[in-house]
Amino acid sequence: MAATRCGAAFAGRSPRCHSFALREFRHGLDTLDELQRRIQLEAFAFSLGCTSMLAFAYGMLEAFGGEPHVSLIFVLPVAAIFWGVGAVLARRRYQ
């Protein structure tokens, strides 16, 4: 019963926390110079492409190949790793 009350309390604050995080993320991007914005944009594009291809491919393997189910909670860490790789690759290009 206590877990339900705690979950309800967290759910009530969650939209405010998300909007705060999005505002801070946007503020962080606004403070970057033109080159850093381009590097982050290229890193994001790399991350989006790689993560979506990997998720789609594993989803097909899961549906038709009999692979075990993987929770969606792992998508964000994979995207963050690809973002880091993309940032390194983009930064290297502009050196």
Side-chain angles (χ1 to χ4, degrees), residues 40-70:
Q40 291 303 315
L41 177 65
E42 289 182 17
F44 178 71
F46 180 82
S47 172
L48 181 66
C50 291
T51 304
S52 60
M53 284 191 308
L54 184 66
F56 181 75
Y58 194 81
M60 288 294 147
L61 285 174
E62 195 175 33
F64 302 113
E67 293 294 320
H69 177 70
V70 175

Side-chain angles (χ1 to χ4, degrees), residues 1 5 7 19 27 32 44 51-52 60 68 78-79 82 84 87-88 92-93:
M1 188 63 134
R5 280 183 277 158
S19 67
H27 177 70
L32 295 177
F44 178 71
T51 304
S52 60
M60 288 294 147
V78 168
F82 279 134
V88 168
R92 209 178 271 170
R93 185 171 11 161

